[in-house]
Amino acid sequence: MKLSKKLEATILKAYHTFWDSYFNGDMKTFASLLDDDECHIIGSTKHDVFNNKKDAVKFYASTAEQITGKADSRNRKITLLPYDKNIMVEELSDFYFFADDEWHFYGHARLSTLFSKKEDGWKIIYQHGSMPDTKAEKGQQLAAEEIAEENRQLRDAVKRRTVELEEKNRELEIETSLEKVRAVAMGMHQPDDMLAVSKVLYHELVSLGFDELRNTLIQSFADGEKYFTDYDYSEATGGNTSKIPYTGHPAVEKFVKKIRKSDEGFFDHTIKGKELKDWIAFRKANNEIDDPRLDKIKSLHYYNYSAGSSAIGISTYSAISDEKLQLLKRFKNVFQLAWQRYTDITLAEAQAREAEIELALERVRARTMAMQKSDELAEAAKLLLQLVQALGLPVLSCGYNIWQSGETVCTGWMSDSSGSISPPFRIPLTESPTFIRFRESKQNGEHFYTEEVSGEALAANYRYMLSLPNFQRIAEGFQKAGFALPTYQVNHVVNFSHGNLIFITNQPAPAAWDIFKRFGKVFEQTYTRFLDLQKAEAQAREATIEAALERVRSRSMAMHNSDEVMDVAVPVYEQLQKLDFKFGAATIIIMDEKTGNMEHWLAGFLQKNHVESYQV
């Protein structure tokens, strides 16, 4: 077919109409230029392949909004080529797209459109669009090296992404472990709770790959002490608590020095050879839990971080990496915050406990200062038991013993387990071992001591005490309360200037020692007031007696004849009554030595102003 000017103009008009309708979203015009029977379209993407007009129009209509007003062809070079009875239109152009308020170059486009003469005009029966390989350069058909490099870059990107994902997963694992340790640590309420922290720390470190781990360690330091408390855990030995002295082994001394230096202190130490043997011997001498694993290793590695008045760390069978060391430090940071909260709580609890103790001491002090008579001392013993038991101390009985007779005998006031007060009973200090110890401790100037008694020694002591007058009342009190005499007890004895306080428990109670001592100081004041009252009572009694004597003396001196003797007998009776003498009458008897006669004057509630004479 010869391409005339007229035919060329007709084809170009149809071609431009087709693409203008495509860019403007005019799908009706766009569809009118496609042949109904023969239509094959291959677009620039792998999805744009259509073998009929219906599918093609459906696709371009559904995606028209992506193109309308947003795409354009520029620098177009169009060529028409006749093929038998058909005309091929070939176009090279630059494809642009609109975004962010400006046009952007997208790529070079190549279009081939085949028109065929139909009854209703020229129609498109084939259309193909593509974009050239941007990787291949001039003189190349295939950019193999460029594609290989791109694939390498893609693989590197995948590797980087994989590493990033692994790092994120690892971080997620670490954060989960940190949170578990944080949760347990934040739940601490008493020192022994640190064993639970040590346990969860152990399991989380193992889960994070600490394969060389022997055990986890938490140490607690107390001001003024010569030792620290060690809480350790491992699967092999379980949880253990030990008191470790500051001195006795170079590794311990170095540890204490570094950890106590600052809150950022760090201890990193390897023990091997002879030092390892010495270390094992030191542990045994300190009665720490036996760990047979130590006999099979060549070295032991310690890593500990300071956490204020505590420390957290591990021991391992081999050195750990810097990465694991930094991870351990993160656990230290978590623990340190929880430890600070714990110390704040314990400080508040200690302050509340101190207020509670002070209130109890003040009640003893107030009761003492309110005493008006010496026999109120027994009530102070009862109050003492009530208060120490209210403080939660495991006290079965308590009371005090006052020295007498050159410190060879004491008088005891004891409150039994039922709260009853025993009558005062005298205890020789030279017969029973328990009471001999009383005397020796005072002579040696001991302020406080404890004594554990059990078995036959305790039974013998109670048999001895039951032989003492009035002590049976205490035994009866135990029996009424449903208790037998104890088979084991701990005597806590606080000495003061005139005797001692004794607190009896059925178990060791070192946490109560300071409280017992403080009650001892208060009772020292109590007994001082008691002595003051005794002295005041004796002085008042003496003054009352002297006043009574003076009244009788005055009446006697006023007599003028023997008939007035009765006037003396009456005041004698009255004054003795005022002095609390319980009797029926007072008599005055005068004997005549020459005659042997005796005259009797009787004054009292039976007879008053009655005079009788008797022959002797």
Side-chain angles (χ1 to χ4, degrees):
M1 175 185 289
K2 186 177 180 181
L3 187 63
S4 63
K5 294 289 186 181
K6 183 179 179 181
L7 180 56
E8 182 178 354
T10 299
I11 297 299
L12 287 175
K13 180 180 179 181
Y15 182 76
H16 286 298
T17 300
F18 175 77
W19 284 112
D20 287 346
S21 65
Y22 171 77
F23 286 124
N24 293 324
D26 182 1
M27 289 295 106
K28 183 177 181 180
T29 303
F30 176 83
S32 69
L33 290 165
L34 297 175
D35 185 60
D36 293 333
D37 299 321
E38 294 181 87
C39 182
H40 300 278
I41 297 178
I42 300 175
S44 60
T45 73
K46 67 178 183 178
H47 306 290
D48 303 353
V49 179
F50 307 102
N51 293 317
N52 58 73
K53 176 180 177 180
K54 180 180 178 181
D55 290 343
V57 173
K58 181 179 180 181
F59 171 76
Y60 287 115
S62 65
T63 58
E65 63 178 9
Q66 299 176 19
I67 299 298
T68 304
K70 300 175 184 177
D72 190 23
S73 288
R74 300 179 183 181
N75 304 318
R76 304 174 74 177
K77 296 178 181 179
I78 300 173
T79 303
L80 274 65
L81 300 172
Y83 284 95
D84 195 9
K85 295 180 180 182
N86 301 320
I87 305 295
M88 174 70 74
V89 181
E90 292 184 348
E91 178 180 345
L92 300 177
S93 63
D94 295 333
F95 193 75
Y96 280 76
F97 69 96
F98 188 79
D100 299 326
D101 297 327
E102 60 179 328
W103 288 95
H104 304 272
F105 175 70
Y106 186 83
H108 300 292
R110 294 187 295 195
L111 302 173
S112 298
T113 306
L114 184 62
F115 282 87
S116 178
K117 178 68 175 178
K118 301 294 180 180
E119 293 181 359
D120 54 347
W122 289 90
K123 301 293 182 181
I124 298 173
I125 62 172
Y126 179 84
Q127 200 275 322
H128 178 266
S130 67
M131 291 188 175
D133 185 351
T134 58
K135 300 178 182 63
E137 297 181 356
K138 188 176 181 180
Q140 291 182 313
Q141 290 191 45
L142 183 65
E145 292 183 4
E146 286 81 357
I147 292 174
E149 176 60 27
E150 188 175 88
N151 286 338
R152 282 194 295 272
Q153 292 177 0
L154 182 59
R155 286 194 297 270
D156 289 342
V158 171
K159 288 181 180 178
R160 287 194 300 272
R161 185 57 177 165
T162 301
V163 170
E164 289 175 2
L165 289 174
E166 288 176 349
E167 288 178 350
K168 287 182 179 179
N169 286 336
R170 176 65 170 176
E171 183 62 25
L172 200 57
E173 279 186 292
I174 293 171
E175 281 296 332
T176 300
S177 292
L178 290 171
E179 184 55 37
K180 289 180 180 179
V181 172
R182 182 184 295 109
V184 176
M186 292 297 283
M188 288 190 299
H189 291 289
Q190 56 186 1
D192 287 347
D193 289 341
M194 280 191 280
L195 275 179
V197 181
S198 187
K199 180 178 180 179
V200 69
L201 176 63
Y202 177 90
H203 288 298
E204 293 310 313
L205 290 178
V206 169
S207 72
L208 292 173
F210 280 67
D211 301 325
E212 60 280 276
L213 185 64
R214 170 182 165 253
N215 66 354
T216 48
L217 305 159
I218 296 177
Q219 293 89 15
S220 174
F221 301 88
D223 293 336
E225 298 290 353
K226 299 294 184 181
Y227 63 85
F228 60 86
T229 305
D230 178 80
Y231 305 86
D232 69 78
Y233 180 86
S234 74
E235 281 292 330
T237 60
N240 301 282
T241 304
S242 305
K243 302 289 187 182
I244 301 179
Y246 285 175
T247 58
H249 191 279
V252 174
E253 295 170 10
K254 182 180 178 182
F255 163 76
V256 173
K257 183 177 180 181
K258 285 196 171 185
I259 291 297
R260 298 293 282 161
K261 186 176 182 179
S262 73
D263 289 351
E264 299 302 319
F266 173 65
F267 175 71
D268 176 4
H269 188 68
T270 299
I271 301 176
K272 57 185 178 179
K274 183 179 182 301
E275 187 182 12
L276 180 58
K277 293 181 179 179
D278 293 342
W279 176 247
I280 294 173
F282 173 77
R283 292 183 76 257
K284 289 181 179 179
N286 198 42
N287 294 319
E288 295 184 49
I289 188 72
D290 183 39
D291 189 350
R293 297 174 298 172
L294 295 177
D295 298 325
K296 302 175 183 179
I297 62 174
K298 294 183 179 180
S299 63
L300 191 60
H301 305 259
Y302 280 89
Y303 304 92
N304 297 82
Y305 284 99
S306 173
S309 59
S310 66
I312 185 171
I314 59 175
S315 70
T316 62
Y317 297 119
S318 59
I320 65 174
S321 65
D322 289 341
E323 178 187 356
K324 288 182 177 178
L325 195 58
Q326 290 303 312
L327 180 53
L328 180 62
K329 189 173 183 179
R330 291 178 67 178
F331 279 98
K332 169 258 184 181
N333 293 336
V334 165
F335 175 77
Q336 188 167 15
L337 292 174
W339 174 257
Q340 184 59 52
R341 173 184 174 276
Y342 167 74
T343 53
D344 291 343
I345 290 174
T346 52
L347 177 60
E349 289 176 346
Q351 290 173 339
R353 178 64 169 173
E354 178 61 23
E356 189 179 25
I357 294 170
E358 276 298 330
L359 179 60
L361 295 172
E362 183 56 35
R363 289 188 62 189
V364 171
R365 190 179 295 114
R367 180 65 187 86
T368 304
M369 298 304 289
M371 286 197 303
Q372 299 297 318
K373 296 183 294 183
S374 59
D375 57 10
E376 293 180 52
L377 195 60
E379 290 301 316
K382 182 177 181 179
L383 179 62
L384 181 65
L385 178 65
Q386 292 172 346
L387 293 174
V388 294
Q389 289 181 334
L391 289 172
L393 306 181
V395 177
L396 297 176
S397 177
C398 68
Y400 31 84
N401 304 292
I402 307 301
W403 307 126
Q404 295 174 352
S405 305
E407 298 185 359
T408 60
V409 176
C410 69
T411 300
W413 284 264
M414 292 295 294
S415 180
D416 62 31
S417 58
S418 66
S420 300
I421 304 295
S422 67
F425 56 97
R426 291 168 61 82
I427 307 173
L429 299 175
T430 56
E431 297 175 357
S432 171
T434 294
F435 302 116
I436 291 173
R437 180 78 172 88
F438 276 11
R439 186 184 183 198
E440 289 176 347
S441 70
K442 188 171 187 303
Q443 290 175 339
N444 295 334
E446 286 182 286
H447 175 61
F448 174 80
Y449 74 90
T450 64
E451 178 186 37
E452 295 186 38
V453 192
S454 61
E456 176 56 28
L458 183 58
N461 183 63
Y462 275 108
R463 285 196 298 270
Y464 172 76
M465 293 185 69
L466 286 168
S467 69
L468 300 175
N470 293 327
F471 184 76
Q472 290 86 349
R473 172 78 174 276
I474 294 180
E476 291 172 0
F478 274 110
Q479 293 170 352
K480 289 179 181 178
F483 296 103
L485 289 173
T487 57
Y488 169 86
Q489 70 182 45
V490 183
N491 299 327
H492 302 79
V493 180
V494 185
N495 287 316
F496 61 97
S497 57
H498 298 284
N500 65 35
L501 264 69
I502 179 169
F503 300 89
I504 300 175
T505 67
N506 60 0
Q507 63 190 51
W513 290 1
D514 181 65
I515 299 175
F516 292 155
K517 294 174 186 178
R518 292 171 69 178
F519 273 106
K521 290 181 180 179
V522 169
F523 192 77
E524 177 108 35
Q525 300 170 352
T526 300
Y527 193 69
T528 298
R529 174 166 174 77
F530 167 71
L531 293 178
D532 291 342
L533 285 173
Q534 268 195 333
K535 184 178 180 180
E537 288 172 356
Q539 290 173 342
R541 180 70 170 173
E542 182 62 28
T544 302
I545 293 171
E546 282 296 331
L549 292 172
E550 184 57 36
R551 291 189 185 97
V552 173
R553 185 183 300 113
S554 297
R555 185 64 189 88
S556 300
M557 295 300 292
M559 286 193 303
H560 294 286
N561 55 63
S562 60
D563 293 337
E564 297 181 39
V565 173
M566 177 53 70
D567 294 334
V568 176
V570 172
V572 168
Y573 170 79
E574 292 175 344
Q575 296 304 313
L576 289 174
Q577 286 287 323
K578 290 179 180 179
L579 290 172
D580 294 329
F581 283 83
K582 306 303 179 184
F583 61 96
T587 63
I588 297 176
I589 300 172
I590 298 178
M591 182 180 293
D592 188 336
E593 293 181 357
K594 293 180 179 181
T595 64
N597 292 329
M598 181 176 64
E599 290 186 294
H600 180 203
W601 287 266
L602 176 65
F605 69 88
L606 295 176
Q607 299 182 53
K608 291 186 178 181
N609 303 327
H610 176 70
V611 180
E612 293 184 6
S613 296
Y614 298 89
Q615 179 70 39
V616 179

